[in-house]
Amino acid sequence: MSEARIIDGKALAASVQERVAAAVSELRMKHSFVPGLAVVLVGDDPASRVYVRNKGRRTTEAGMKSFEYLLPADTTEKALLDRIRLLNESPEVHGILVQLPLPGQIDPARVIDAIDPDKDVDGFHVINAGRLAVGRPGLVPCTPLGCVLLAKQAREDLSGLEAVIIGRSNIVGKPLAQLLLRENCTVTIAHSRTRDLPEVARRADVLVAAVGRPELVRGEWIKAGAIVIDVGINRVRREDGKARLVGDVAFDEATAVAGAITPVPGGVGPMTIAMLLANTVKAACLQRGVPLPRMLEGL
Ligand code: GUN
């Protein structure tokens, strides 16, 4: 049995980032503006701090303006909503991302509702979820966008394929189902209550695991030659006590069966920030009423 092809998310993310940087310089030269992204973090969760720092760094590397707001853990909901209103009104800010999770005193739904849908680069606003569901232009969540681009690295045309997504979150599973439907896949969303999950998974030509359960998907769950996209990032303890990152797919077993697979780390993870940058440029072009630079078509 031949080994699965490893889909290199780091390389694909780097090429998306290059296209974004080229688009940003075109906008600066032809239309005299620079897209700006505001990232808001409430509290000091260490993992979130790392994400936020990386987002800021990549934003400036792509030639865009980055605005960071690090608010204390005891920030009130009202104070956060006031901050969002200011960012909604700022002409320099084209994208707004509030890092999740938020501390308990803040209702994330109210916060997402407060973001101008045209600046909602996470694509979490109900208006953007609705636009995606009915096939109208809008901002689409970054991780699902990355998943589709990664799957297309393995096979350009996904039309007619059976896609099975394990996980029904608003951030990944549900929007990804819409995107794969748009690619003409036959889509199944499976979840913790699905009867005979291995059997359902085995139907998949494109199998996406997005549940946050370390190595849930075993080799026997995978159809020979399938494209496997692993969204999970789980920190587990190794036998020697050190921490290690694993996906939702048992990678070594899966590579013996699948046709192509994304690794963890180095698969879906790097794509999320790359798509956030692309979304920020898209949002900026919509707000300024200028066409999307050609190099971003298809993203
Ligand atoms: N926390 C973990 N992932 C994400 C994301 O994609 N967007 C936001 N806003 N917060 C997150």
Side-chain angles (χ1 to χ4, degrees):
M1 179 80 77
S2 62
E3 287 257 306
R5 175 181 154 202
I6 311 295
I7 307 171
D8 186 345
K10 245 174 114 171
L12 184 58
S15 93
V16 170
Q17 167 128 5
E18 264 176 39
R19 286 161 71 183
V20 169
V24 169
S25 36
E26 184 177 302
L27 292 173
R28 188 200 302 267
M29 287 196 296
K30 280 199 191 158
H31 301 283
S32 310
F33 78 96
V34 176
L37 172 65
V39 176
V40 183
L41 172 64
V42 184
D44 37 28
D45 175 61
S48 291
R49 269 188 184 270
V50 173
Y51 288 136
V52 166
R53 201 174 329 123
N54 284 341
K55 283 167 188 167
R57 199 184 67 228
R58 297 245 183 247
T59 304
T60 36
E61 277 171 7
M64 295 190 279
K65 285 187 205 155
S66 167
F67 306 91
E68 263 180 38
Y69 298 87
L70 306 177
L71 309 180
D74 61 357
T75 300
T76 62
E77 186 176 279
K78 178 177 182 304
L80 179 57
L81 294 175
D82 287 345
R83 169 55 59 195
I84 290 169
R85 268 179 221 111
L86 289 175
L87 296 173
N88 282 344
E89 283 159 19
S90 166
E92 282 199 302
V93 171
H94 305 95
I96 302 170
L97 181 147
V98 179
Q99 185 68 26
L100 303 177
L102 289 163
Q105 75 275 15
I106 301 176
D107 176 358
R110 273 210 204 109
V111 171
I112 293 166
D113 286 352
I115 298 172
D116 178 345
D118 293 337
K119 295 192 177 187
D120 167 39
V121 282
D122 260 330
F124 292 169
H125 197 289
V126 288
I127 295 272
N128 283 317
R131 286 167 172 163
L132 179 61
V134 298
R136 283 203 221 160
L139 292 164
V140 177
C142 305
T143 301
L145 279 175
C147 290
V148 172
L149 284 190
L150 286 163
K152 287 180 148 190
Q153 289 289 105
R155 186 171 162 145
E156 179 58 38
D157 184 8
L158 304 177
S159 186
L161 298 185
E162 287 278 347
V164 174
I165 302 160
I166 310 176
R168 54 177 154 181
S169 71
N170 291 333
I171 295 180
V172 182
K174 285 184 213 162
L176 180 56
Q178 304 285 2
L179 287 179
L180 289 172
L181 205 49
R182 201 156 86 181
E183 297 291 332
N184 302 309
C185 290
T186 303
V187 181
T188 302
I189 304 183
H191 45 78
S192 55
R193 303 290 179 89
T194 295
R195 250 186 295 141
D196 203 350
L197 187 53
E199 190 56 41
V200 172
R202 263 192 297 275
R203 295 208 294 257
D205 303 306
V206 180
L207 180 62
V208 183
V211 276
R213 299 257 308 268
E215 301 180 321
L216 172 75
V217 177
R218 312 309 308 188
E220 319 85 79
W221 294 30
I222 297 168
K223 184 193 219 177
I227 301 167
V228 178
I229 307 293
D230 189 350
V231 183
I233 301 179
N234 309 290
R235 203 172 289 279
V236 296
R237 204 161 276 294
R238 286 194 317 202
E239 277 153 28
D240 65 6
K242 291 205 178 118
R244 163 175 94 96
L245 286 186
V246 301
D248 290 349
V249 178
F251 185 79
D252 291 340
E253 292 177 19
T255 49
V257 192
I261 184 168
T262 60
V264 177
V268 174
M271 286 302 290
T272 298
I273 294 186
M275 301 323 294
L276 172 68
L277 302 180
N279 270 355
T280 303
V281 176
K282 283 183 206 171
C285 289
L286 283 171
Q287 287 159 52
R288 301 287 300 223
V290 308
L292 190 69
R294 222 173 6 87
M295 53 286 240
L296 290 192
E297 277 168 17
L299 288 188

